[in-house]
Amino acid sequence: VWEAESSRELVPLGWIHTHPTQTCFLSSVDIHTQCGYQTMLEESVAIVMAPTDSRKKCGIFRLTTPAGVEHVQRCTYRGFHASCNSETYELCGHVYLNPNAKHEVIDLR
């Protein structure tokens, strides 16, 4: 991953993943992952693609600051749990996906 990023002079601004059979939200595991990104780069976002969600197929989220970030940093639970929930994060209304933007998919396997 580092070689692919550095050779293209890229900086990760977040992460993307799918919920193939679920709705578009951040699970408690996702929230902890986002906390790691957002602790390193405050502007980081989490993108969730949920192709079977009829209400929202794509969401761009971030932890609330400072309350959400601080809550997750103090959280001692692991795996799926109720302590970190939708009150910990928010939709990023200021970020959107540009359907005309060029992108490249790199298989790093």
Side-chain angles (χ1 to χ4, degrees):
V1 174
W2 171 252
E3 183 179 324
E5 290 173 355
S6 62
S7 67
R8 291 167 177 78
E9 298 182 353
L10 300 174
V11 176
L13 299 176
W15 61 295
I16 184 170
H17 70 289
T18 62
H19 286 185
T21 60
Q22 297 174 301
T23 57
C24 192
F25 72 104
L26 290 183
S27 71
S28 56
V29 172
D30 298 338
I31 290 169
H32 279 264
T33 300
Q34 176 60 19
C35 186
Y37 277 90
Q38 207 166 317
T39 297
M40 292 185 294
L41 181 67
E42 186 179 350
E43 297 84 359
S44 292
V45 296
I47 301 172
V48 178
M49 305 300 288
T52 60
D53 188 340
S54 60
R55 294 176 297 125
K56 187 171 202 54
K57 296 199 180 299
C58 175
I60 304 172
F61 304 98
R62 67 186 310 275
L63 302 182
T64 58
T65 53
V69 172
E70 291 173 356
H71 172 80
V72 180
Q73 288 172 335
R74 289 189 311 268
C75 180
T76 59
Y77 292 104
R78 297 292 172 248
F80 295 102
H81 59 279
S83 173
C84 297
N85 54 43
S86 61
E87 295 175 11
T88 314
Y89 66 89
E90 61 192 357
L91 265 172
C92 294
H94 64 289
V95 179
Y96 69 95
L97 297 177
N98 180 347
N100 298 316
K102 292 182 181 181
H103 67 277
E104 178 183 7
V105 177
I106 305 167
D107 186 346
L108 298 177
R109 288 179 285 180

